[in-house]
Amino acid sequence: MASTVTTEPPENPAAPSRPGYGQLLRTRGAWTFLLPGFAARQPFAMLTISIVLLVQHTTGSYGAAGAAAAVTGVSMALFAPYSGRLADRYGQRAVLVPGVLVHTLSGLALTALALADAPLWALFAAAVPTGASVPQIGPMVRARWGVKLQDSPLMSTAAAFESVTDELTFVFGPLLATALCTTVAPAAGLVTEAALTLAGGLLFAARKSTQPQVTGAGHARVRHASALRVPGVRVLVVAFLGIGSVFGGMQVSLAAFTESIGEPGLNGVLYGTFAAGNMLSGLVCGALAWKAAPHRRLVVGYTALALTASALWTSHSVLVLAGLGLLVGMCIAPALITGYTLVEGLVPAGARTEAFTWLTGAVALGQAAAVTVAGQLEDRLWGGAGFLVPMAGTVLALATLLALRSRLVTRPRNRTVARGVGHRVPLTVD
């Protein structure tokens, strides 16, 4: 058995000790996937809130609305890792093109069924393919950064930049979806989400030159062990489930709160404030040169998240809720950024798209569970009871992090082809 190994030079071989966004955005070819990637991921932030607002309008129940959105989220969480694995093996374009077509058609079918007052089981049936086919643009963009930057210190800056980009979509997405559903038509949010997914997804898929090299069947022995077999990834999945509980719990609870005070249009504003806090702290995290180890930063950041999320249920005014939402958002970004940064040290390069999709899938699964439980709490208990969900989700995840934090410690990579680690690309294996 003879092996030939070469290493592609990183895009930024002489990165400074304090790499910043300016240098990151000057990376050659980055804008060719950043702009279409931003357009393609925008609908993701619109999907859950659009389903909640449409189904609540047609059924009058937040429980039913949360359940329909939860089916979509569970379906996405279950299928996202397989989508990532297929993208690692066959290329992103091969997965994206059929995916965006299925998502567009199934999303429109879900809209039509809801408007026709179809039974809940029919909405669930349409929600399954809608969630399963959600394009995993964020993980794919992160994987493209990995190809461009390789071992550059700019990788942590890229992780921060992607978190900020994600949260920028969660500033505009809910605002846009809420405005469309409340001022145009209840179905306008889902219809727009489907149209944007189709256009943005196809545009991103067309940028073939920046996608990671496909591993192919010939490298199956080296590359295709599941990323979930890495103990640290399983710990991160639990942490991201807790983050998903914050997103889902706040989406339903904020909608119920603003409805109860007769100001449904404030829902998008309050959720946008929460997302703005996330975005602002993400910008700061990416601009700092951290000395603490990533696993320690994750524990500290997650502790702050659990504490702030535990206070949400006590708020009874718009101003207090906006302030707490801003603080919760500011605590989420460091946890997300550090989690994605840890993947770079824990997971072999050929399995990172899959690893990223496990994390985004965990957020979706946590969000799905949260919208279901929060919807039931809002229907059956007092207004604001749904805010108990983010508290429970983050506290349980924090307990897991504290118990298993040693599994997140990254160690120096042994750069050998046989183990499939590091950033070296095997060219021939005889």
Side-chain angles (χ1 to χ4, degrees), residues 70-416:
V71 171
T72 305
V74 170
S75 180
M76 189 198 108
L78 292 176
F79 282 89
Y82 297 100
S83 172
R85 188 178 301 179
L86 290 173
D88 281 330
R89 186 167 188 177
Y90 299 109
Q92 296 180 359
R93 177 183 170 86
V95 175
L96 272 175
V97 173
V100 297
L101 295 176
V102 171
H103 183 78
T104 301
L105 293 174
S106 56
L108 293 176
L110 175 59
T111 304
L113 288 169
L115 292 176
D117 294 323
L120 197 56
W121 66 263
L123 299 182
F124 290 168
V128 170
T130 301
S133 57
V134 170
Q136 298 301 310
I137 301 297
M140 291 181 179
V141 172
R142 287 179 169 91
R144 294 189 186 211
W145 275 124
V147 172
K148 284 288 181 184
L149 300 178
Q150 298 189 29
D151 287 326
S152 168
L154 282 169
M155 276 307 306
S156 61
T157 306
F161 180 81
E162 287 307 309
S163 179
V164 171
T165 303
D166 283 339
E167 293 318 307
L168 188 60
T169 68
F170 277 97
V171 172
F172 293 116
L175 284 172
L176 177 60
T178 301
L180 290 170
C181 291
T182 57
T183 63
V184 179
L190 265 182
V191 172
T192 303
E193 188 274 341
L196 287 175
T197 297
L198 180 64
L202 292 179
L203 184 61
F204 182 78
R207 307 305 306 178
K208 295 187 292 183
S209 61
T210 55
Q211 72 176 358
Q213 181 180 0
V214 298
T215 55
H219 295 137
R221 297 189 308 274
V222 176
R223 297 288 192 178
H224 292 160
S226 174
L228 200 61
R229 295 181 62 183
V230 178
V233 172
R234 296 196 292 269
V235 178
L236 290 175
V237 164
V238 175
F240 278 55
L241 281 169
I243 292 174
S245 74
V246 178
F247 286 125
M250 291 197 69
Q251 283 182 337
V252 171
S253 301
L254 288 176
F257 176 80
T258 54
E259 184 74 24
S260 69
I261 64 174
E263 296 287 348
L266 286 177
N267 177 35
V269 176
L270 287 174
Y271 197 85
T273 301
F274 158 72
N278 197 341
M279 182 179 64
L280 291 174
S281 65
L283 284 169
V284 173
C285 286
L288 295 176
W290 295 98
K291 294 182 179 180
H295 67 282
R296 293 193 178 95
R297 300 204 310 265
L298 181 60
V299 170
V300 172
Y302 216 95
T303 301
L305 174 61
L307 289 174
T308 53
S310 297
L312 284 170
W313 70 276
T314 65
S315 58
H316 300 289
S317 73
V318 173
L319 289 178
V320 172
L321 191 54
L324 283 173
L326 181 68
L327 291 175
V328 172
M330 291 176 68
C331 294
I332 283 183
L336 283 173
I337 292 168
T338 309
Y340 283 123
T341 301
L342 281 166
V343 168
E344 296 293 329
L346 293 169
V347 181
R352 284 188 193 139
T353 302
E354 181 196 348
F356 289 138
T357 53
W358 275 113
L359 299 188
T360 55
V363 173
L365 185 59
Q367 181 175 329
V371 295
T372 303
V373 176
Q376 293 295 329
L377 292 177
E378 291 290 348
D379 280 347
R380 299 171 185 270
L381 300 179
W382 70 90
F387 288 121
L388 293 172
V389 175
M391 178 181 72
T394 54
V395 168
L396 290 174
L398 176 61
T400 302
L401 271 179
L402 291 173
L404 302 176
R405 61 187 180 276
S406 62
R407 300 186 181 184
L408 297 174
V409 178
T410 58
R411 295 175 176 83
R413 296 180 184 133
N414 182 11
R415 295 175 177 244
T416 64

